[in-house]
Amino acid sequence: MTQIIETNHQLEAKRLADIFAERAELIDAEASFPYANFEDLKKSGFLSLTIPKEYGGEGLNLYQFLQIQETLAKGDAPTALSLGWQLGVLLEQAEDRNWSEESFAKVCRLVVEKKALLNLAQTERATGSPSRGGIPTTVAEKEGNGWKINGSKSFTSMAVALDYSIVTVDVNRTGKKGYVLIDHKLPGVRVEETWDSISMKATKSDDLILDNVLVAKDDLLFQEDPKKPFPKGWYLQIPAVYLGVAAAARDYAIHFASTFQPNTLPGPIKEVPEVRRKIGEIELELFKAREVLYAVATKWVEQPDKRAELGPSLQAAKHIVTNSANNIVDLAMRIVGARSLSAKNPLQRHYRDVRAGLHNPPTDDAIVYNLAKSVLD
C-alpha cells in the first residue's frame, strides 16, 4: 500500500481542523454556512488542491485527497464534505480529461485565480440520487448560440455560497446527460432554502432553481452516455469524511475514559474491563475502515488502466467505512454515557453527522444489489 507521508498539505489540514473544531458547535447550533472556514481554506489554497499543477493547482491524487478529507472532517464534517464536492469533480476531470482543454482551463482559472466555489449539482427530487441512474429532469435546450436551462436541483451543498454550479441536464431532451457550467450571478438562478436536516447542517444543501437561465454554447462542458457509466473514484471522499467524524469521536471517548473518575472507582474508567473492551472494538473498526479505504484508493492511483473494473470495490469500501464509522461513534457514546447526549457535548453532533453517511449515495441497499449484479449478471 502507498505509504502515508505527512506532507505540508496534511500538516496544514491538521492546523485548519483544530480551528474548525473550535467553531463547529456554534455553526451547528445556528445551522449556518461556515463562511469563516471557507475563507481559511481559500487562504491556504485548499480550493485548488486537486487541480493539475500545469493549471496552477497542487495536483493531489485520490489517495492524498482522501487523507486531507479525513483530517479536515475531524474538525468539522460539513466543511470537509462541502469542500470535497469541489475537489472531487476537479480531480475527476484531472484524471479523465473529458472536457475540452479550453473548458477545463477556464474552470481551473476561476478556482485558482478567483477562489471560486463550485459544486456538482445532480440530485433531483423527481429522480432521487444520480447513482440510481435516472435521467435529469433539468433540461438544456438550444437557444440562439447557447443554451436555455430549466429545472431544479436538491441537496445542493454550499448553495448559498456557491459562485458556480456544474449542473446535470437532459441535452435537448435526447436522454443524454450533459454537464453545464452555471454562473450563479446569471438571471434566473436562485436558491430556495429548504435544508432542515438535523445532520450535516452546515452543508446548507438547499435547492437550486434554474428558471430560463441562458448560458453560452461552450458552457456545456461534456456529454456522457448514461448507459456506459464509469466508476468515480473521488466519491470515496464520502466515506473519508465520515471516517474523520469517527476518529474525532474516538479521540473524545479515549480522553474521557482517561480523565473521568467517579468516586466509586480508584482510578479513571479506562481501567474498567468493559470500557477497555469497547475501546478495543473501536480500534478494530477504525483499522478495518482505514485499511479498506486506502487500499482501494491505492489501486485507483497505482493501476489507472484497471479503474473501469473498480466499481464494486469502490462501492464496497463506501459501505464498509460508513458503517464502521457509525459503529465507532455508537461505541464512543456508550463509553461516555448520558453525557454524550448533552447539547454541549460534541458526540451528539458526531452522531447526527455520521448518520448522513448511510444516506449519501450509493446507499447500502443499492451497493449490496450492485455487488450481487457484478458477479451474477
Side-chain angles (χ1 to χ4, degrees), residues 150-320:
N150 279 288
S152 63
K153 299 293 182 179
S154 55
F155 296 101
T156 308
S157 295
M158 306 188 287
V160 295
L162 289 174
D163 299 300
Y164 296 86
S165 289
I166 297 173
V167 175
T168 52
V169 298
D170 181 349
V171 181
N172 268 334
R173 304 182 188 277
T174 60
K176 282 195 172 182
K177 184 190 288 187
Y179 293 77
V180 178
L181 182 68
I182 303 286
D183 185 338
H184 280 221
K185 294 188 181 71
L186 290 172
V189 179
R190 64 183 176 88
V191 173
E192 190 173 310
E193 296 193 39
T194 56
W195 187 240
D196 63 353
S197 174
I198 65 168
S199 178
M200 303 294 279
K201 293 181 184 180
T203 62
K204 293 295 290 176
S205 300
D206 294 312
D207 286 7
L208 178 66
I209 311 300
L210 306 165
D211 184 11
N212 289 323
V213 179
L214 298 176
V215 301
K217 179 182 178 181
D218 59 2
D219 284 331
L220 177 61
L221 302 173
F222 172 61
Q223 295 184 59
E224 73 175 9
D225 186 346
K227 296 178 182 178
K228 296 180 180 179
F230 193 86
K232 297 182 185 294
W234 70 270
Y235 274 22
L236 287 182
Q237 83 109 353
I238 294 170
V241 165
Y242 296 107
L243 186 57
V245 176
R250 173 255 194 198
D251 289 353
Y252 183 90
I254 289 175
H255 179 264
F256 181 87
S258 301
T259 57
F260 177 62
Q261 180 183 344
N263 60 14
T264 54
L265 294 177
I269 63 169
K270 71 175 184 179
E271 304 300 335
V272 176
E274 180 59 20
V275 171
R276 298 179 79 85
R277 185 182 69 82
K278 285 184 171 65
I279 290 173
E281 289 182 0
I282 286 174
E283 294 304 289
L284 279 173
E285 291 281 7
L286 199 57
F287 177 82
K288 174 180 70 176
R290 281 207 176 110
E291 288 295 305
V292 168
L293 179 67
Y294 289 108
V296 175
T298 297
K299 287 182 182 178
W300 184 272
V301 172
E302 296 183 353
Q303 302 176 40
D305 57 321
K306 295 184 178 180
R307 286 174 182 168
E309 305 167 13
L310 286 179
S313 297
L314 294 168
Q315 294 197 26
K318 193 270 179 178
H319 188 293
I320 291 167

Side-chain angles (χ1 to χ4, degrees), residues 60-75:
L60 266 58
N61 62 32
L62 177 64
Y63 191 102
Q64 296 163 326
F65 167 45
L66 299 184
Q67 286 182 276
I68 296 293
Q69 290 301 95
E70 181 186 346
T71 300
L72 291 176
K74 286 187 70 175

